[in-house]
Amino acid sequence: MNDIVQYQLKRAAASGRQGLAQITPVAAVVNRLLRTLDKVYQEKQINCISEVAGEIVFSGDEGDLMELLGNLLENAFKYGRSKVVVRAKVNQSASELQISIDDDGPGITESERQNVLKRGRRADERQPGQGIGLSVSDQIIRLYGGELRILSSELGGNRIFLWLPL
């Protein structure tokens, strides 16, 4: 498992350097992921709201964006009770893309938030998983010069908030 993670991070690092010349529409990636997650988590009947305008783009590899958002959205669907909200906007003054994913799940306590970003660390052992999704997403975001934070959501669960340079 560690070899797979290391391979994917090296691939992301390589594409991150080359990928800056690529422009990836964020809404297309988000919509593709949401269609898939709606099918996978159909029994939960998650009400997912996407507020991602079509003109918003990510300066990087589509596969990297798919990987990092896929991990984060899957966690929101897995742990959310009934609602997930995805938002993306461009902050021109800071020259960054901002994406937030909110859910109404039980949330990660403030004391656990930094810990779950480490590979193999999990806040909830009852759900299946390896504890690498948040870590991989965080590392990909850092390779692009961005940042990920886990905050409290107004929905009751967590808000995963990330910044990526334009």
Side-chain angles (χ1 to χ4, degrees), residues 96-99 141 145-149 151 161-165:
E96 64 189 14
L97 167 63
Q98 299 176 347
I99 300 174
I141 292 164
E147 184 179 350
L148 180 147
R149 288 216 182 125
L151 308 168
F161 195 76
L162 62 104
W163 300 263
L164 291 161

Side-chain angles (χ1 to χ4, degrees), residues 7-35:
Y7 168 77
Q8 290 297 335
L9 289 173
K10 287 178 186 171
R11 186 197 59 76
S15 67
R17 287 188 290 275
Q18 298 167 353
L20 294 177
Q22 296 178 13
I23 300 297
T24 302
V26 175
V29 171
V30 167
N31 291 336
R32 190 172 343 148
L33 289 166
L34 292 179
R35 281 193 302 274

Side-chain angles (χ1 to χ4, degrees), residues 5-103:
V5 171
Q6 289 304 316
Y7 168 77
Q8 290 297 335
L9 289 173
K10 287 178 186 171
R11 186 197 59 76
S15 67
R17 287 188 290 275
Q18 298 167 353
L20 294 177
Q22 296 178 13
I23 300 297
T24 302
V26 175
V29 171
V30 167
N31 291 336
R32 190 172 343 148
L33 289 166
L34 292 179
R35 281 193 302 274
T36 301
L37 290 166
D38 275 339
K39 290 176 187 172
V40 172
Y41 291 94
Q42 183 177 8
E43 74 283 351
K44 289 185 79 173
Q45 297 184 359
I46 298 285
N47 175 23
C48 186
I49 299 167
S50 176
E51 297 175 1
V52 182
E55 68 274 2
I56 295 177
V57 296
F58 166 64
S59 299
D61 181 68
E62 180 180 10
D64 291 344
L65 185 63
M66 185 79 78
E67 177 80 19
L68 75 91
L69 288 180
N71 289 330
L72 300 175
L73 285 167
E74 182 175 17
N75 280 348
F77 271 71
K78 182 189 296 186
Y79 296 107
R81 291 185 177 104
S82 63
K83 189 171 187 177
V84 172
V85 179
V86 184
R87 294 181 180 99
K89 70 178 188 174
V90 172
N91 181 336
Q92 292 292 352
S93 63
S95 190
E96 64 189 14
L97 167 63
Q98 299 176 347
I99 300 174
S100 65
I101 301 170
D102 290 71
D103 69 65

